[in-house]
Amino acid sequence: MTEGRTEGGQDARAGRRGLILILSSPSGAGKTTLTRAIATDGGWGLDLSISVTTRARRPSEIDGRHYRFIDREAFEDLRARDDLLEWAEVHGNFYGTPRRPVEKTLAQGRDMIFDIDYQGTRQVRQRLQEDVVTVFILPPSFSELRQRLERRAEDSPETIERRLANARNEMQRWSEYDYVIVNDDLDESFRSLQAILTAERLKRSRRTGLPAFVDGLLAEAGRPG
Ligand SMILES: Nc1ncnc2c1ncn2[C@@H]1O[C@H](COP(=O)(O)OP(=O)(O)OP(=O)(O)O)[C@@H](O)[C@H]1O
Ligand SMILES: Nc1nc2c(ncn2[C@@H]2O[C@H](COP(=O)(O)O)[C@@H](O)[C@H]2O)c(=O)[nH]1
């Protein structure tokens, strides 16, 4: 039911600040699958941030939908113009989040979802503080992580090895995150992500319209029946 998930009920009565939901994980744990699942289910009202990257496009990827694929010079230009909210070098390539779409979406009181690494997460947290909710995705085992990268069949064996070698460093960042999901069963992980978003949207500190709403209730309660 679309209305109950986003603007209906609680939000329509009380108003709310927009939030940014960030998912990070070692390569292959499933953050992109979960991010896209919740972003493309329109009922959750989440805008997906499309990053820029200097990485080569994978066969299944579409420029402008999965990433904006750019060269190193164009990336440096964006950085120099302060057009990136955050950026990082990951697995030997550069990635960044364009700043303007984020500012526009938050100004409209809407929520966004990011699929970025732990270095970028730190930068966004520093800039946007309480408006950020972070989720770390862990694989059920290291052997399953390897199998997922191999089954995905989008990267060369060398790239897979490089990503697995980086996984140890990345997994150690789990304790910097607000929530952790062990992505074993995908449906269960998706339900956990939905629960996190629902609870975070209900947080008192985000609900800027509550004081006026409660004042109205109190005024009504004080009037003779
Ligand atoms: N719970 C799951 N069970 C089995 N396979 C899964 C599960 N979650 C994701 N996968 C599969 O594992 C592969 C890796 O998932 P995905 O691409 O989402 O990982 P990722 O963390 O975004 O990796 P990367 O950082 O390399 O982009 C995909 O083929 C995806 O379909
Ligand atoms: N700091 C940022 N990290 C990003 C961004 N976009 C993606 N990523 C992370 O890079 C790795 C590799 O992604 P892949 O698509 O090449 O598999 C992964 O951890 C992503 O989360 C970004 O804009 N900033």
Side-chain angles (χ1 to χ4, degrees), residues 24-34 55 58 61 67 91 115 137 140 144-145 147-149 151-153 155 163 183-187 189:
S24 302
S25 79
S27 183
K31 67 188 163 302
T32 308
T33 306
L34 287 164
R55 165 167 78 64
R58 293 183 184 133
E61 289 177 327
Y67 283 104
H91 313 311
D115 166 347
I137 311 295
E144 172 65 12
L145 188 68
Q147 283 173 38
R148 284 185 190 171
L149 286 176
R151 279 200 302 264
R152 187 169 71 181
D155 297 313
R163 284 170 177 247
N183 179 25
D184 192 351
D185 178 78
L186 187 57
D187 289 342
S189 300

Side-chain angles (χ1 to χ4, degrees), residues 22-28 31-32 35 49-53 55-56 58 61 66-67 69 75 84 86-91 93-98 114-124 149 152 155 159 163 170:
I22 299 182
L23 267 64
S24 302
S25 79
S27 183
K31 67 188 163 302
T32 308
T35 301
S49 170
I50 307 295
S51 297
V52 293
T53 183
R55 165 167 78 64
R58 293 183 184 133
E61 289 177 327
H66 295 93
Y67 283 104
F69 296 95
F75 191 93
L84 299 178
E86 62 74 35
W87 68 272
E89 184 177 357
V90 192
H91 313 311
N93 297 298
F94 288 85
Y95 298 81
T97 302
F114 291 6
D115 166 347
I116 63 174
D117 87 319
Y118 71 91
Q119 306 170 85
T121 302
R122 286 176 178 165
Q123 296 168 46
V124 180
L149 286 176
R152 187 169 71 181
D155 297 313
T159 298
R163 284 170 177 247
E170 291 171 326

Side-chain angles (χ1 to χ4, degrees), residues 11-208:
D11 292 351
R13 275 197 294 271
R16 185 173 60 75
R17 294 170 66 86
L19 61 81
I20 291 180
L21 184 63
I22 299 182
L23 267 64
S24 302
S25 79
S27 183
K31 67 188 163 302
T32 308
T33 306
L34 287 164
T35 301
R36 301 244 156 206
I38 200 159
T40 55
D41 178 345
W44 287 98
L46 276 174
D47 285 9
L48 177 64
S49 170
I50 307 295
S51 297
V52 293
T53 183
T54 60
R55 165 167 78 64
R57 190 177 61 78
R58 293 183 184 133
S60 68
E61 289 177 327
I62 298 167
D63 189 25
R65 189 199 291 182
H66 295 93
Y67 283 104
R68 264 179 55 218
F69 296 95
I70 59 177
D71 61 22
R72 183 71 196 269
E73 200 183 328
F75 191 93
E76 292 302 337
D77 270 2
L78 290 175
R79 264 181 57 190
R81 292 203 307 258
D82 195 26
D83 277 346
L84 299 178
L85 177 68
E86 62 74 35
W87 68 272
E89 184 177 357
V90 192
H91 313 311
N93 297 298
F94 288 85
Y95 298 81
T97 302
R99 188 165 52 81
R100 274 181 250 275
V102 179
E103 288 173 353
K104 194 171 155 200
T105 304
L106 288 183
Q108 291 168 346
R110 290 178 55 79
D111 300 332
M112 286 196 96
I113 186 162
F114 291 6
D115 166 347
I116 63 174
D117 87 319
Y118 71 91
Q119 306 170 85
T121 302
R122 286 176 178 165
Q123 296 168 46
V124 180
R125 170 80 83 195
Q126 200 160 24
R127 281 194 164 190
L128 300 172
Q129 314 234 334
E130 298 309 311
D131 291 336
V132 176
V133 179
T134 59
V135 184
F136 200 81
I137 311 295
L138 285 169
S141 67
F142 195 73
S143 59
E144 172 65 12
L145 188 68
R146 175 182 286 280
Q147 283 173 38
R148 284 185 190 171
L149 286 176
E150 288 171 355
R151 279 200 302 264
R152 187 169 71 181
E154 295 259 19
D155 297 313
S156 68
E158 298 73 36
T159 298
I160 290 177
E161 288 310 320
R162 177 171 196 167
R163 284 170 177 247
L164 288 171
N166 290 340
R168 189 180 156 79
N169 175 39
E170 291 171 326
M171 285 191 293
Q172 285 171 335
R173 313 297 162 175
W174 69 276
S175 60
E176 297 177 20
Y177 285 69
D178 300 320
Y179 299 92
V180 176
I181 295 175
V182 178
N183 179 25
D184 192 351
D185 178 78
L186 187 57
D187 289 342
E188 195 183 320
S189 300
F190 190 45
R191 281 194 295 276
S192 299
L193 189 59
Q194 292 169 336
I196 290 166
L197 181 58
T198 300
E200 286 290 338
R201 282 176 166 170
L202 288 170
K203 257 195 173 162
R204 176 169 48 84
S205 55
R206 299 192 200 292
R207 300 177 64 190
T208 48

